Coordinates of all heavy atoms in Angstrom, one line a residue:
M1 N 122.4 92.8 101.9 CA 122.7 92.7 100.5 C 123.9 93.6 100.2 O 123.9 94.7 100.7 CB 121.4 93.2 99.7 CG 121.6 92.9 98.2 SD 120.2 93.5 97.2 CE 118.8 93.4 98.3
S2 N 124.8 93.1 99.4 CA 126.0 93.9 99.2 C 125.7 95.0 98.2 O 124.7 95.0 97.5 CB 127.1 93.0 98.6 OG 126.7 92.6 97.3
D3 N 126.5 96.0 98.3 CA 126.3 97.2 97.5 C 126.5 97.0 96.0 O 126.0 97.7 95.2 CB 127.1 98.4 98.0 CG 126.7 98.9 99.4 OD1 125.5 98.7 99.7 OD2 127.5 99.5 100.1
D4 N 127.3 95.9 95.7 CA 127.6 95.7 94.3 C 126.6 94.8 93.6 O 126.8 94.4 92.5 CB 129.0 95.2 94.1 CG 129.2 93.9 94.9 OD1 128.3 93.5 95.7 OD2 130.3 93.2 94.7
F5 N 125.5 94.4 94.3 CA 124.5 93.6 93.7 C 123.8 94.4 92.6 O 123.3 95.5 92.9 CB 123.4 93.1 94.8 CG 122.5 92.0 94.3 CD1 122.8 90.7 94.4 CD2 121.3 92.4 93.6 CE1 122.0 89.7 94.0 CE2 120.5 91.4 93.1 CZ 120.8 90.0 93.3
P6 N 123.7 93.8 91.4 CA 123.0 94.6 90.3 C 121.6 94.8 90.6 O 120.8 93.9 90.6 CB 123.3 93.7 89.1 CG 123.7 92.4 89.6 CD 124.1 92.5 91.0
Q7 N 121.2 96.0 90.9 CA 119.8 96.3 91.3 C 118.8 96.0 90.2 O 117.6 95.8 90.4 CB 119.7 97.8 91.7 CG 120.6 98.2 92.9 CD 120.2 97.4 94.1 OE1 119.0 97.5 94.5 NE2 121.1 96.7 94.7
N8 N 119.3 96.1 88.9 CA 118.3 95.8 87.8 C 117.9 94.3 87.8 O 117.0 94.0 87.0 CB 118.9 96.2 86.5 CG 120.2 95.4 86.1 OD1 121.0 95.1 87.0 ND2 120.3 95.0 84.9
L9 N 118.6 93.5 88.6 CA 118.2 92.1 88.6 C 117.2 91.7 89.7 O 116.8 90.6 89.9 CB 119.4 91.2 88.7 CG 120.4 91.3 87.5 CD1 121.5 90.3 87.6 CD2 119.6 91.0 86.2
L10 N 116.9 92.8 90.5 CA 115.8 92.6 91.5 C 114.5 92.7 90.8 O 114.4 93.3 89.8 CB 115.9 93.6 92.6 CG 117.2 93.6 93.4 CD1 117.3 94.8 94.4 CD2 117.3 92.3 94.2
N11 N 113.4 92.2 91.5 CA 112.1 92.3 90.9 C 111.7 93.8 90.9 O 111.4 94.4 92.0 CB 111.1 91.5 91.7 CG 109.7 91.5 91.1 OD1 109.4 92.3 90.2 ND2 108.9 90.6 91.5
S12 N 111.6 94.4 89.8 CA 111.3 95.8 89.6 C 110.0 96.0 88.8 O 109.8 97.0 88.2 CB 112.4 96.6 89.1 OG 113.0 96.0 87.9
I13 N 109.2 94.9 88.7 CA 108.0 95.0 87.9 C 107.0 96.0 88.6 O 106.6 95.8 89.7 CB 107.3 93.6 87.8 CG1 108.3 92.7 86.9 CG2 106.0 93.7 87.1 CD1 107.8 91.2 86.9
S14 N 106.6 97.0 87.8 CA 105.7 98.0 88.4 C 104.3 97.8 87.8 O 103.3 98.2 88.4 CB 106.2 99.4 88.1 OG 106.3 99.6 86.7
H15 N 104.2 97.1 86.7 CA 102.9 96.9 86.0 C 102.9 95.5 85.5 O 103.6 95.2 84.5 CB 102.6 97.9 84.9 CG 102.5 99.3 85.4 ND1 103.6 100.1 85.6 CD2 101.4 100.0 85.6 CE1 103.1 101.3 86.0 NE2 101.8 101.3 86.0
Q16 N 102.1 94.6 86.1 CA 102.0 93.2 85.6 C 101.3 93.2 84.2 O 100.4 94.0 83.9 CB 101.1 92.4 86.6 CG 101.7 92.2 87.9 CD 102.7 91.1 87.9 OE1 102.8 90.2 87.0 NE2 103.6 91.1 88.9
I17 N 101.8 92.3 83.4 CA 101.1 92.0 82.1 C 100.2 90.8 82.4 O 100.7 89.7 82.8 CB 102.1 91.7 81.0 CG1 103.0 92.9 80.7 CG2 101.4 91.2 79.8 CD1 104.1 92.6 79.8
V18 N 98.9 91.0 82.2 CA 97.9 89.9 82.5 C 97.1 89.7 81.3 O 96.9 90.5 80.4 CB 97.0 90.3 83.7 CG1 97.9 90.6 84.9 CG2 96.2 91.5 83.3
C19 N 96.6 88.4 81.2 CA 95.6 88.1 80.2 C 94.3 88.6 80.6 O 93.8 88.4 81.7 CB 95.5 86.5 80.1 SG 94.1 86.0 79.1
S20 N 93.6 89.4 79.7 CA 92.4 90.0 80.1 C 91.3 89.0 80.4 O 90.4 89.2 81.2 CB 91.9 91.0 79.0 OG 91.8 90.3 77.8
K21 N 91.3 87.8 79.7 CA 90.3 86.8 79.9 C 90.6 86.1 81.3 O 89.6 85.9 82.0 CB 90.3 85.8 78.8 CG 89.8 86.3 77.5 CD 89.8 85.3 76.4 CE 89.3 85.8 75.1 NZ 89.4 84.8 74.0
C22 N 91.8 85.9 81.6 CA 92.1 85.3 82.9 C 91.7 86.3 84.0 O 91.2 85.9 85.0 CB 93.6 85.0 83.0 SG 94.2 83.5 82.1
E23 N 92.0 87.5 83.8 CA 91.7 88.6 84.8 C 90.2 88.6 85.0 O 89.7 88.7 86.2 CB 92.2 89.9 84.3 CG 91.9 91.0 85.3 CD 92.4 92.4 84.9 OE1 92.3 92.7 83.6 OE2 92.9 93.1 85.7
A24 N 89.4 88.6 84.0 CA 87.9 88.6 84.1 C 87.4 87.4 84.8 O 86.5 87.5 85.7 CB 87.3 88.7 82.7
E25 N 87.9 86.2 84.5 CA 87.5 85.0 85.2 C 87.9 85.1 86.7 O 87.1 84.7 87.6 CB 88.1 83.8 84.5 CG 87.5 83.6 83.1 CD 88.3 82.5 82.3 OE1 89.2 81.9 82.9 OE2 88.0 82.3 81.2
F26 N 89.1 85.5 87.0 CA 89.6 85.6 88.4 C 88.7 86.6 89.2 O 88.3 86.3 90.3 CB 91.0 86.0 88.4 CG 91.6 86.1 89.8 CD1 91.9 85.0 90.6 CD2 91.8 87.4 90.4 CE1 92.3 85.1 91.9 CE2 92.2 87.5 91.7 CZ 92.5 86.4 92.4
L27 N 88.5 87.8 88.6 CA 87.7 88.8 89.3 C 86.3 88.4 89.5 O 85.6 88.9 90.4 CB 87.8 90.2 88.5 CG 89.2 90.8 88.5 CD1 89.2 92.1 87.7 CD2 89.7 91.1 89.9
A28 N 85.8 87.6 88.6 CA 84.4 87.1 88.7 C 84.3 86.0 89.7 O 83.1 85.5 90.0 CB 83.8 86.7 87.4
G29 N 85.4 85.6 90.3 CA 85.4 84.5 91.3 C 85.1 83.1 90.7 O 84.6 82.2 91.4
L30 N 85.5 83.0 89.5 CA 85.3 81.7 88.8 C 86.4 80.7 89.0 O 86.4 79.6 88.4 CB 85.1 81.9 87.3 CG 83.9 82.9 86.9 CD1 83.9 83.1 85.4 CD2 82.6 82.3 87.4
T31 N 87.4 81.1 89.8 CA 88.6 80.2 90.0 C 88.8 79.9 91.5 O 88.2 80.7 92.3 CB 89.9 80.8 89.5 OG1 90.4 81.8 90.4 CG2 89.6 81.5 88.2
D32 N 89.5 78.9 91.8 CA 89.9 78.6 93.2 C 91.3 79.2 93.5 O 91.8 79.0 94.6 CB 90.0 77.1 93.4 CG 88.6 76.5 93.4 OD1 87.6 77.2 93.7 OD2 88.5 75.3 93.0
S33 N 91.9 79.9 92.5 CA 93.3 80.4 92.7 C 93.3 81.5 93.7 O 92.4 82.3 93.8 CB 93.8 80.9 91.4 OG 94.0 79.8 90.5
A34 N 94.4 81.6 94.5 CA 94.5 82.7 95.5 C 94.9 84.0 94.8 O 94.7 85.0 95.4 CB 95.6 82.2 96.5
S35 N 95.5 83.9 93.6 CA 95.9 85.2 93.0 C 95.8 85.0 91.5 O 95.7 83.9 91.0 CB 97.4 85.5 93.3 OG 98.2 84.5 92.7
L36 N 95.7 86.1 90.8 CA 95.7 86.1 89.4 C 97.0 85.5 88.8 O 96.9 84.8 87.8 CB 95.5 87.5 88.8 CG 95.4 87.7 87.3 CD1 94.4 86.8 86.7 CD2 95.2 89.2 86.9
Q37 N 98.1 85.8 89.4 CA 99.4 85.3 89.0 C 99.4 83.7 89.0 O 99.9 83.1 88.1 CB 100.5 85.8 89.8 CG 100.9 87.2 89.5 CD 100.2 88.2 90.4 OE1 99.2 87.9 91.0 NE2 100.7 89.4 90.4
S38 N 98.8 83.2 90.0 CA 98.8 81.7 90.1 C 97.8 81.1 89.2 O 97.9 79.9 88.8 CB 98.5 81.2 91.6 OG 97.3 81.6 92.0
Y39 N 96.7 81.8 88.8 CA 95.7 81.4 87.9 C 96.2 81.4 86.4 O 96.0 80.5 85.7 CB 94.4 82.2 88.0 CG 93.3 81.7 87.1 CD1 92.8 80.4 87.2 CD2 92.8 82.5 86.1 CE1 91.8 80.0 86.4 CE2 91.8 82.1 85.2 CZ 91.3 80.9 85.4 OH 90.3 80.4 84.6
S40 N 97.0 82.5 86.1 CA 97.4 82.7 84.8 C 98.4 81.6 84.4 O 99.2 81.1 85.2 CB 98.1 84.0 84.6 OG 97.2 85.0 84.9
Q41 N 98.5 81.2 83.1 CA 99.4 80.3 82.6 C 100.1 81.0 81.4 O 99.7 80.8 80.3 CB 98.8 79.0 82.2 CG 98.1 78.3 83.4 CD 97.4 77.0 82.9 OE1 97.4 76.7 81.8 NE2 96.9 76.3 83.9
L42 N 101.1 81.8 81.7 CA 101.7 82.6 80.6 C 103.0 82.1 80.2 O 103.8 81.7 81.1 CB 101.8 84.1 81.1 CG 100.5 84.8 81.5 CD1 100.9 86.2 82.0 CD2 99.5 84.8 80.4
D43 N 103.2 82.1 78.9 CA 104.5 81.8 78.3 C 105.1 83.1 77.9 O 104.4 83.9 77.3 CB 104.4 80.8 77.1 CG 104.1 79.4 77.6 OD1 104.4 79.0 78.7 OD2 103.4 78.7 76.7
V44 N 106.4 83.2 78.0 CA 107.1 84.4 77.6 C 108.3 84.0 76.7 O 109.0 83.1 77.1 CB 107.6 85.3 78.7 CG1 108.3 86.5 78.2 CG2 106.4 85.7 79.6
G45 N 108.4 84.6 75.5 CA 109.5 84.2 74.7 C 109.8 85.1 73.6 O 108.9 86.0 73.2
F46 N 110.9 84.9 73.0 CA 111.3 85.7 71.8 C 110.7 85.2 70.6 O 110.4 84.0 70.4 CB 112.8 85.7 71.7 CG 113.5 86.5 72.8 CD1 114.2 85.8 73.7 CD2 113.5 87.8 72.9 CE1 114.9 86.4 74.8 CE2 114.1 88.5 73.9 CZ 114.8 87.8 74.8
T47 N 110.4 86.1 69.7 CA 109.8 85.8 68.3 C 110.7 86.4 67.3 O 111.7 87.1 67.6 CB 108.4 86.4 68.2 OG1 108.5 87.8 68.2 CG2 107.5 85.9 69.3
D48 N 110.3 86.3 66.0 CA 111.1 86.9 65.0 C 111.2 88.4 65.1 O 112.1 89.1 64.6 CB 110.5 86.5 63.6 CG 110.7 85.1 63.3 OD1 111.6 84.4 63.9 OD2 110.0 84.6 62.4
I49 N 110.2 89.1 65.7 CA 110.1 90.5 65.8 C 110.4 91.1 67.2 O 110.6 92.3 67.3 CB 108.8 91.1 65.2 CG1 107.6 90.7 66.1 CG2 108.6 90.7 63.8 CD1 106.4 91.5 65.9
G50 N 110.3 90.2 68.2 CA 110.5 90.8 69.5 C 110.2 89.8 70.6 O 110.8 88.7 70.6
L51 N 109.3 90.1 71.5 CA 109.0 89.3 72.6 C 107.5 89.2 72.8 O 106.8 90.2 72.7 CB 109.6 89.9 73.9 CG 109.5 89.2 75.2 CD1 110.8 89.1 75.9 CD2 108.4 89.8 76.1
Q52 N 107.0 87.9 73.0 CA 105.6 87.7 73.1 C 105.2 87.1 74.4 O 106.0 86.2 75.0 CB 105.1 86.8 72.0 CG 103.6 86.6 71.9 CD 103.1 85.9 70.7 OE1 103.8 85.0 70.2 NE2 102.0 86.3 70.1
V53 N 104.1 87.5 75.0 CA 103.5 86.9 76.1 C 102.2 86.2 75.6 O 101.4 86.8 74.9 CB 103.1 87.9 77.2 CG1 102.5 87.3 78.4 CG2 104.3 88.8 77.6
W54 N 102.1 84.9 75.9 CA 101.0 84.0 75.4 C 100.3 83.4 76.5 O 100.9 82.9 77.5 CB 101.6 83.0 74.5 CG 100.7 82.1 73.8 CD1 100.2 80.9 74.2 CD2 100.0 82.4 72.5 NE1 99.3 80.4 73.3 CE2 99.1 81.3 72.2 CE3 100.0 83.5 71.7 CZ2 98.3 81.3 71.1 CZ3 99.2 83.5 70.5 CH2 98.4 82.4 70.3
C55 N 99.0 83.4 76.5 CA 98.2 82.7 77.5 C 97.9 81.3 77.1 O 97.2 81.1 76.1 CB 96.9 83.4 77.8 SG 95.8 82.6 79.0
R56 N 98.5 80.3 77.8 CA 98.2 78.9 77.5 C 96.8 78.5 77.9 O 96.2 77.7 77.2 CB 99.2 78.0 78.3 CG 100.5 77.8 77.6 CD 101.4 76.9 78.4 NE 102.1 77.7 79.4 CZ 102.1 77.3 80.7 NH1 101.6 76.2 81.1 NH2 102.8 78.1 81.5
R57 N 96.2 79.2 78.9 CA 94.9 78.8 79.3 C 93.9 79.2 78.2 O 92.9 78.4 78.0 CB 94.5 79.6 80.6 CG 93.1 79.2 81.2 CD 92.9 79.9 82.5 NE 93.8 79.6 83.5 CZ 93.8 78.5 84.3 NH1 92.8 77.6 84.0 NH2 94.6 78.3 85.2
H58 N 94.0 80.3 77.6 CA 93.1 80.7 76.5 C 93.7 80.6 75.1 O 93.0 81.0 74.2 CB 92.7 82.2 76.8 CG 91.9 82.3 78.1 ND1 92.4 82.8 79.3 CD2 90.6 81.9 78.3 CE1 91.4 82.7 80.2 NE2 90.3 82.2 79.6
D59 N 94.9 80.1 75.0 CA 95.5 79.9 73.8 C 95.5 81.2 72.9 O 95.0 81.1 71.8 CB 94.9 78.7 73.0 CG 95.8 78.2 71.9 OD1 97.0 78.3 72.0 OD2 95.3 77.6 70.9
G60 N 95.9 82.2 73.5 CA 95.8 83.5 72.8 C 96.9 84.5 73.2 O 97.6 84.4 74.3
N61 N 97.1 85.5 72.3 CA 98.1 86.5 72.6 C 97.7 87.4 73.7 O 96.6 87.8 73.8 CB 98.3 87.3 71.3 CG 99.3 88.4 71.5 OD1 100.5 88.1 71.6 ND2 98.9 89.7 71.4
V62 N 98.7 87.7 74.6 CA 98.5 88.7 75.6 C 99.2 90.0 75.3 O 98.6 91.1 75.4 CB 99.0 88.2 77.0 CG1 98.9 89.2 78.1 CG2 98.2 86.9 77.4
A63 N 100.4 89.9 74.8 CA 101.2 91.0 74.3 C 102.3 90.6 73.4 O 102.8 89.5 73.5 CB 101.8 91.8 75.5
H64 N 102.5 91.4 72.4 CA 103.6 91.1 71.5 C 104.4 92.4 71.3 O 103.8 93.3 70.6 CB 103.1 90.5 70.2 CG 104.1 89.8 69.4 ND1 103.8 89.0 68.3 CD2 105.5 89.7 69.5 CE1 104.9 88.5 67.8 NE2 105.9 88.9 68.5
I65 N 105.5 92.5 71.8 CA 106.3 93.7 71.8 C 107.3 93.6 70.5 O 108.1 92.7 70.4 CB 107.1 93.9 73.1 CG1 106.2 93.9 74.3 CG2 108.0 95.1 73.0 CD1 106.9 93.7 75.6
D66 N 107.1 94.6 69.6 CA 107.9 94.6 68.4 C 109.2 95.5 68.7 O 109.1 96.7 69.0 CB 107.1 95.3 67.3 CG 107.8 95.2 66.0 OD1 109.0 95.0 65.9 OD2 107.1 95.4 65.0
F67 N 110.3 94.8 68.6 CA 111.6 95.6 68.9 C 112.0 96.5 67.7 O 112.9 97.2 67.8 CB 112.7 94.6 69.2 CG 112.6 93.8 70.4 CD1 113.4 92.7 70.7 CD2 111.7 94.1 71.4 CE1 113.3 92.0 71.9 CE2 111.6 93.4 72.6 CZ 112.4 92.3 72.8
D68 N 111.2 96.4 66.6 CA 111.4 97.3 65.5 C 112.9 97.2 65.0 O 113.5 98.2 64.6 CB 111.1 98.7 65.8 CG 110.8 99.6 64.6 OD1 110.5 99.0 63.6 OD2 111.0 100.8 64.7
G69 N 113.4 96.0 65.0 CA 114.7 95.7 64.5 C 115.9 96.1 65.4 O 117.0 95.9 65.1
N70 N 115.5 96.7 66.6 CA 116.6 97.1 67.5 C 117.1 95.9 68.3 O 116.3 95.0 68.7 CB 116.1 98.1 68.5 CG 115.7 99.4 67.8 OD1 116.6 100.1 67.3 ND2 114.5 99.8 67.7
T71 N 118.3 95.8 68.7 CA 118.9 94.8 69.6 C 119.0 95.5 70.9 O 119.7 96.4 71.1 CB 120.3 94.4 69.1 OG1 120.2 93.9 67.7 CG2 120.9 93.3 70.0
L72 N 118.3 94.9 71.9 CA 118.2 95.5 73.2 C 119.1 94.7 74.2 O 119.3 93.5 74.0 CB 116.8 95.4 73.7 CG 115.7 96.1 72.8 CD1 114.3 95.9 73.5 CD2 116.0 97.5 72.5
Q73 N 119.7 95.4 75.1 CA 120.5 94.7 76.1 C 119.6 93.9 77.0 O 118.5 94.3 77.5 CB 121.3 95.8 77.0 CG 122.4 96.4 76.2 CD 123.3 97.2 77.1 OE1 123.2 97.2 78.3 NE2 124.3 97.8 76.5
T74 N 120.0 92.7 77.3 CA 119.3 91.8 78.1 C 120.2 91.1 79.1 O 121.3 90.7 78.7 CB 118.6 90.7 77.2 OG1 117.8 91.4 76.3 CG2 117.7 89.8 78.1
D75 N 119.8 90.9 80.3 CA 120.6 90.2 81.3 C 119.9 89.0 81.8 O 118.8 89.1 82.4 CB 120.9 91.2 82.5 CG 122.0 90.7 83.4 OD1 122.2 89.5 83.4 OD2 122.6 91.5 84.0
F76 N 120.4 87.8 81.5 CA 119.7 86.6 81.8 C 120.2 86.0 83.1 O 119.9 84.8 83.4 CB 119.9 85.6 80.6 CG 119.0 85.9 79.5 CD1 119.6 86.4 78.3 CD2 117.7 85.6 79.5 CE1 118.8 86.7 77.2 CE2 116.9 85.9 78.4 CZ 117.4 86.4 77.2
R77 N 121.1 86.7 83.8 CA 121.6 86.1 85.1 C 120.5 86.0 86.1 O 119.6 86.9 86.2 CB 122.7 87.0 85.6 CG 124.0 87.0 84.8 CD 125.0 87.9 85.4 NE 124.6 89.3 85.3 CZ 125.1 90.3 85.9 NH1 126.2 90.1 86.7 NH2 124.6 91.5 85.8
C78 N 120.4 85.0 86.8 CA 119.5 84.8 87.9 C 120.3 84.8 89.2 O 120.8 83.7 89.6 CB 118.7 83.6 87.7 SG 117.4 83.3 89.0
L79 N 120.5 85.9 89.8 CA 121.3 86.0 91.0 C 120.4 86.0 92.2 O 119.3 86.5 92.2 CB 122.1 87.3 91.0 CG 123.0 87.5 89.8 CD1 123.8 88.8 89.9 CD2 124.0 86.4 89.7
E80 N 120.8 85.3 93.3 CA 120.0 85.2 94.5 C 120.6 86.2 95.5 O 121.8 86.3 95.7 CB 120.1 83.8 95.0 CG 119.4 82.8 94.1 CD 119.4 81.4 94.7 OE1 119.7 81.2 95.8 OE2 119.0 80.5 93.9
K81 N 119.7 86.8 96.2 CA 120.1 87.7 97.3 C 120.7 86.9 98.4 O 120.2 85.8 98.7 CB 119.0 88.5 97.8 CG 118.4 89.5 96.8 CD 117.4 90.4 97.4 CE 116.0 89.7 97.3 NZ 114.9 90.5 97.7
K82 N 121.8 87.4 99.0 CA 122.4 86.6 100.1 C 121.7 87.0 101.4 O 121.3 88.0 101.6 CB 123.9 87.0 100.2 CG 124.7 86.7 98.9 CD 125.2 85.4 99.0 CE 126.1 85.2 97.8 NZ 126.1 84.2 97.0
Ligands
ZN1 ZN1 94.1 83.8 79.8

């Protein structure tokens, strides 16, 4: 990987955001999914106040982050490692 590759575009997720209902069902062995990530059906998108994570499986809110009127820097580039 070149030294000029923007490191902030690598996967740097340290704490997954999960639906608590999906997590409970997965941990109880109620699914055939190999992982909680593959079981979850999460939508992520901007709202009038910030960014929301929504569980399609349970049709419910997982997280709604209020930007409190702030405009945050966002990088939408999807670069592939060489
Ligand atoms: Zn769910």
Side-chain angles (χ1 to χ4, degrees):
M1 189 182 333
S2 69
D3 290 337
D4 60 350
F5 191 92
Q7 298 298 304
N8 63 319
L9 297 183
L10 297 173
N11 186 343
S12 50
I13 295 172
S14 59
H15 296 79
Q16 293 281 341
I17 295 174
V18 301
C19 168
S20 59
K21 291 181 178 177
C22 286
E23 181 181 37
E25 291 169 6
F26 178 77
L27 293 176
L30 302 176
T31 81
D32 292 333
S33 297
S35 69
L36 178 57
Q37 286 91 343
S38 65
Y39 181 64
S40 298
Q41 298 178 359
L42 300 179
D43 287 332
V44 179
F46 292 107
T47 67
D48 289 343
I49 65 164
L51 184 133
Q52 185 171 38
V53 181
W54 185 264
C55 178
R56 273 181 278 130
R57 184 178 298 282
H58 294 102
D59 197 28
N61 180 66
V62 175
H64 199 168
I65 302 167
D66 186 342
F67 293 168
D68 199 25
N70 294 294
T71 301
L72 307 179
Q73 288 194 0
T74 306
D75 195 333
F76 286 103
R77 292 177 295 167
C78 181
L79 304 179
E80 295 180 11
K81 292 185 275 186
K82 302 269 187 228

